[in-house]
Amino acid sequence: MASLSLSSAHFSSSRSSVSTSSLSPSSPSLPLLRSPIRHRHRSLRRLTSFSVVPHRTSHSFSICNSQIRCSVAEPLKVMISGAPASGKGTQCELIVQKFGLVHISTGDLLRAEVSSGTDIGKRAKEFMNSGSLVPDEIVIAMVAGRLSREDAKERGWLLDGFPRSFAQAQSLEKLNVKPDIFLLLEVPDETLIERCVGRRLDPVTGKIYHIKNYPPESDEIKERLVTRPDDTEEKVKARLQIYKENSEAIISAYSDVMVKIDANRPKEVVFEETQTLLSQIQLKRMIKTDKASPVQDKWRGIPTKLNNIPHSRDIRAYFYEDVLQATIRSIKDGNSRLRVDINIPELNPEMDVYRIGTLMELVRALALSFTDDGKRVKVCVQGSMGEGALAGMPLQLAGTRKILEYMDWGDDETLGTFVKLGAIGGKEVDEEDDMFILVAPQNAVGNCIIDDLQAMTNAAGKRPVILINPRLKDLPASSGIMQTMGREQRLEYALTFDNCYVFRLLYYLGTQYPIIGALRMAYPYRYELYKRVTEENGKEKYVVISTYSERPTPEQINDAFSGKSREQSKKSSGFWGFLSSVLS
Ligand code: AP5
């Protein structure tokens, strides 16, 4: 996974767009409507991009590079170790697929030399076939050369099977090569032998198979599989012995970054643990990198006291910036159907109608940041739906359009030029609009927003459409009017929007206190599950306890928190029920 974290002039300007509003801490939503302060980024934009009317080039969207400063976190450096057949190569395949690291396997490099008949290969062959270690000077030179190549520096590396002796570990120390993590795969001896003897390699793809555990996918592959000459029971035992003799010295060299992994489980299960460990390092690094950048110097992980509303200006700014960065990254990657789900008390108008002001403030921060890039943004709030006595609008959106009109959009001409307000529907899409931000589109009892939404996305084509806190699930409709489209199609359509930002607090069933944790996903990174812990000094903090490539299920979250099996969790009070209700 690319470890790219973005910070940009947008963020400083969006931060200023938030912080320069005369927001009163006691009532964050209303004073912003009257703020007379002009925004620094408005004048910036005029200086850099436009004079009177901006020129719109095409519907394709790109973030102007001059305005984005990329701070690329340092790439991952991983060592993987373990006895012969502990599954190093198998895990490496999966790690490379997921994290894009450069895989440096001394075994593979040596086998390549052997099959090419090079001098090194000729020298190494004898040692390898007998299961002993190839002389240090050969292997060290090979690894040092490979590590110094540009791709390894840029993408990070995954060192497999090296170092394997104390001298090799020392050579790395001299080169100042240190891993972020040293993964030690542990498997009982008898399993190792069975794995080695049953191992087969595909000479075409390099993929590792096992005649029983991981058989080939087709007869064609099966026919071309080869067995390694050192995979006989006798040689495996010799290799295992050599491994045991050397492992102590290696392990002690990396004990500070070593993580032991029970690798006597299916490869997918082992990988789930491995990738969580690597993601955590990436995440910490991303946070550090962001911390180092001027616009993020106040970043402090997830803010605390999130149940206390109104939130401070800093906390609001944190979330606006977090959402903005994820949205920019997603659009930059070419995504055009985006969904932001952020559920904190401050942004939940169902708890307190004044919170709609904060939601609008978020929308404003996003819209103004995109206008900084010269984009014309249409901010859309659904209008009344239905006919006659059934006409109406969801309560939480009542008055939203008016609030948007009265808000401070910076320079007088911003609203109406760079930012336009509209409703939701195909007719709302104009040629000059570059992107659309839709405020909490939702179904109302008896009325379905999806038809209008679909007409709008059809008209928008490839232009980004961003849904902020949509609620597209079915609502009961006695009139049946909601059934404008088949249920399946409606749900399918809702799924065409990719989550680019998710944040929600986790509580026990039926309560809003205490907060037990949080789930966060900021594109393109993984879902991060945090536990809220109270420190000795009484302060609270959020600690990452697990990460996931897909939105975790209630079972996964439950397991991560309690370590209990699903059955046990079901029996326990509150927790399971809560997670089911919130996350399903
Ligand atoms: P090398 O190729 O590195 O061999 P090794 O360390 O003995 O490790 P293996 O490749 O045998 O096993 P693996 O842990 O990668 O397991 P795999 O994923 O394939 O080195 C070969 C030789 O080169 C050495 O003996 C030495 O001579 C020389 N050499 C290399 N590096 C050197 C160095 N630094 N210094 C000096 N000499 C060096 O899995 C094994 C099997 O198990 C497969 O069939 C797989 O499908 C299966 N499997 C994997 N995971 C699972 C799982 N979770 N559950 C069930 N089955 C699994």
Side-chain angles (χ1 to χ4, degrees):
M1 186 197 290
S3 51
L4 181 75
S5 75
L6 299 174
S7 55
S8 85
H10 296 294
F11 308 145
S12 43
S13 54
S14 76
R15 190 177 265 269
S16 74
S17 76
V18 172
S19 59
T20 52
S21 300
S22 57
L23 297 168
S24 130
S26 58
S27 175
S29 34
L30 299 176
L32 71 91
L33 309 178
R34 304 190 296 270
S35 172
I37 298 171
R38 285 173 172 245
H39 298 281
R40 189 165 59 83
H41 62 276
R42 298 267 73 74
S43 47
L44 257 184
R45 183 194 63 215
R46 223 180 283 105
L47 280 174
T48 52
S49 310
F50 310 116
S51 50
V52 188
V53 179
H55 144 84
R56 188 173 158 276
T57 47
S58 78
H59 285 162
S60 71
F61 193 96
S62 74
I63 304 288
C64 170
N65 280 335
S66 64
Q67 295 208 354
I68 288 197
R69 192 157 35 79
C70 297
S71 53
V72 182
E74 209 188 308
L76 280 174
K77 292 171 285 183
V78 181
M79 274 183 193
I80 189 160
S81 184
S86 52
K88 301 183 292 294
T90 303
Q91 289 303 311
C92 286
E93 272 179 17
L94 299 167
I95 293 172
V96 168
Q97 239 172 24
K98 183 85 199 176
F99 295 90
L101 305 179
V102 173
H103 180 202
I104 305 174
S105 153
T106 41
D108 288 349
L109 290 175
L110 287 167
R111 276 185 288 278
E113 299 282 349
V114 172
S115 62
S116 315
T118 63
D119 286 347
I120 290 181
K122 282 176 194 152
R123 281 185 69 192
K125 190 174 179 178
E126 211 180 299
F127 295 97
M128 294 176 78
N129 285 349
S130 67
S132 30
L133 292 184
V134 172
D136 285 333
E137 69 273 12
I138 296 181
V139 198
I140 291 171
M142 242 169 38
V143 171
R146 189 62 191 87
L147 278 173
S148 66
R149 290 199 354 216
E150 263 331 288
D151 59 347
K153 286 183 194 160
E154 270 171 25
R155 284 159 46 198
W157 44 258
L158 173 59
L159 207 40
D160 164 8
F162 189 96
R164 224 178 261 219
S165 68
F166 185 62
Q168 292 178 12
Q170 275 185 321
S171 73
L172 286 184
E173 206 179 319
K174 278 187 200 139
L175 292 170
N176 207 17
V177 173
K178 284 184 195 134
D180 301 312
I181 189 165
F182 182 90
L183 301 168
L184 181 64
L185 305 186
E186 295 188 312
V187 177
D189 289 1
E190 57 279 13
T191 310
L192 293 171
I193 293 168
E194 188 267 324
R195 281 193 190 176
C196 252
V197 175
R199 169 168 44 197
R200 298 291 180 271
L201 298 179
D202 183 345
V204 176
T205 61
K207 216 173 153 194
I208 305 164
Y209 292 95
H210 188 278
I211 45 172
K212 265 204 303 206
N213 304 344
Y214 300 109
E217 296 88 351
S218 67
D219 286 344
E220 190 191 343
I221 299 175
K222 192 177 172 183
E223 274 165 30
R224 64 181 188 229
L225 293 183
V226 294
T227 307
R228 268 169 51 172
D230 57 349
D231 269 351
T232 63
E233 186 169 342
E234 188 192 338
K235 285 176 186 168
V236 176
K237 283 182 177 161
R239 284 158 60 198
L240 192 52
Q241 183 57 33
I242 293 172
Y243 169 76
K244 285 182 178 169
E245 282 162 16
N246 288 291
S247 62
E248 196 62 27
I250 314 294
I251 288 170
S252 62
Y254 298 106
S255 56
D256 55 332
V257 285
M258 183 178 72
V259 181
K260 289 183 181 174
I261 295 178
D262 173 8
N264 194 21
R265 297 174 291 170
K267 64 178 182 181
E268 298 79 11
V269 179
V270 177
F271 181 60
E272 188 58 42
E273 187 174 341
T274 317
Q275 69 168 342
T276 298
L277 289 164
L278 301 190
S279 299
Q280 280 175 346
I281 297 172
Q282 274 192 327
L283 184 69
K284 280 188 197 149
R285 192 158 284 175
M286 188 180 104
I287 292 168
K288 260 196 200 157
T289 309
D290 283 348
K291 259 187 183 163
S293 85
V295 290
Q296 290 279 343
D297 56 358
K298 287 188 184 153
W299 208 93
R300 55 181 189 278
I302 291 181
T304 54
K305 297 197 175 21
L306 288 175
N307 259 358
N308 298 355
I309 51 174
H311 287 341
S312 68
R313 183 184 298 178
D314 270 359
I315 291 182
R316 297 198 309 275
Y318 160 86
F319 281 111
Y320 303 157
E321 206 164 275
D322 213 22
V323 172
L324 177 64
Q325 290 188 40
T327 312
I328 288 178
R329 288 191 293 259
S330 182
I331 292 175
K332 196 164 170 265
D333 277 358
N335 298 321
S336 59
R337 299 291 173 262
L338 287 71
R339 176 182 178 130
V340 170
D341 272 307
I342 173 164
N343 189 323
I344 51 171
E346 182 66 43
L347 279 165
N348 187 354
E350 280 177 18
M351 281 176 68
D352 172 353
V353 287
Y354 287 107
R355 306 281 76 82
I356 195 73
T358 314
L359 194 64
M360 295 303 101
E361 200 181 43
L362 166 67
V363 168
R364 181 181 66 174
L366 283 182
L368 290 182
S369 294
F370 285 111
T371 65
D372 276 352
D373 199 47
K375 302 298 169 196
R376 288 169 176 257
V377 183
K378 186 162 272 174
V379 175
C380 305
V381 185
Q382 69 195 66
S384 298
M385 299 189 295
E387 289 167 13
L390 291 174
M393 152 178 314
L395 189 60
Q396 74 161 264
L397 293 178
T400 305
R401 167 73 192 240
K402 275 276 171 254
I403 295 176
L404 286 168
E405 284 170 14
Y406 286 127
M407 278 174 84
D408 172 17
W409 290 93
D411 288 352
D412 294 342
E413 75 272 24
T414 299
L415 189 62
T417 310
F418 292 100
V419 176
K420 286 191 174 160
L421 304 181
I424 295 179
K427 289 184 189 138
E428 299 292 323
V429 175
D430 292 319
E431 180 64 12
E432 68 268 18
D433 299 326
D434 288 313
M435 58 187 299
F436 307 86
I437 299 178
L438 277 51
V439 183
Q442 54 196 278
N443 294 322
V445 174
N447 289 297
C448 179
I449 189 67
I450 290 196
D451 277 349
D452 289 338
L453 202 52
Q454 193 164 36
M456 187 161 197
T457 47
N458 286 346
K462 289 186 176 157
R463 288 174 276 180
V465 177
I466 307 166
L467 310 184
I468 310 287
N469 283 357
R471 291 172 62 195
L472 303 179
K473 281 191 175 170
D474 281 356
L475 291 177
S478 55
S479 60
I481 289 174
M482 183 177 274
Q483 315 307 323
T484 50
M485 194 200 286
R487 181 168 192 273
E488 244 172 59
Q489 287 108 302
R490 288 201 304 275
L491 296 179
E492 207 174 290
Y493 173 73
L495 287 175
T496 59
F497 288 83
D498 292 323
N499 282 333
C500 78
Y501 188 81
V502 171
F503 187 95
R504 67 186 318 154
L505 292 169
L506 306 174
Y507 304 91
Y508 287 101
L509 175 66
T511 70
Q512 296 286 321
Y513 178 87
I515 298 170
I516 56 167
L519 181 68
R520 172 180 179 267
M521 191 282 291
Y523 181 91
Y525 303 104
R526 293 161 63 81
Y527 283 85
E528 300 146 9
L529 182 63
Y530 291 85
K531 185 174 187 173
R532 191 180 72 93
V533 294
T534 307
E535 294 180 285
E536 274 177 13
N537 58 11
K539 288 189 174 169
E540 59 173 323
K541 70 172 181 183
Y542 287 82
V543 181
V544 181
I545 56 170
S546 196
T547 69
Y548 308 85
S549 53
E550 301 290 330
R551 192 179 181 120
T553 61
E555 290 92 333
Q556 286 172 310
I557 293 187
N558 211 17
D559 286 349
F561 269 92
S562 63
K564 290 178 186 170
S565 72
R566 182 177 169 179
E567 282 313 305
Q568 285 172 308
S569 306
K570 269 183 175 171
K571 283 177 207 148
S572 69
S573 63
F575 193 60
W576 164 259
F578 160 75
L579 293 170
S580 297
S581 70
V582 165
L583 296 161
S584 56

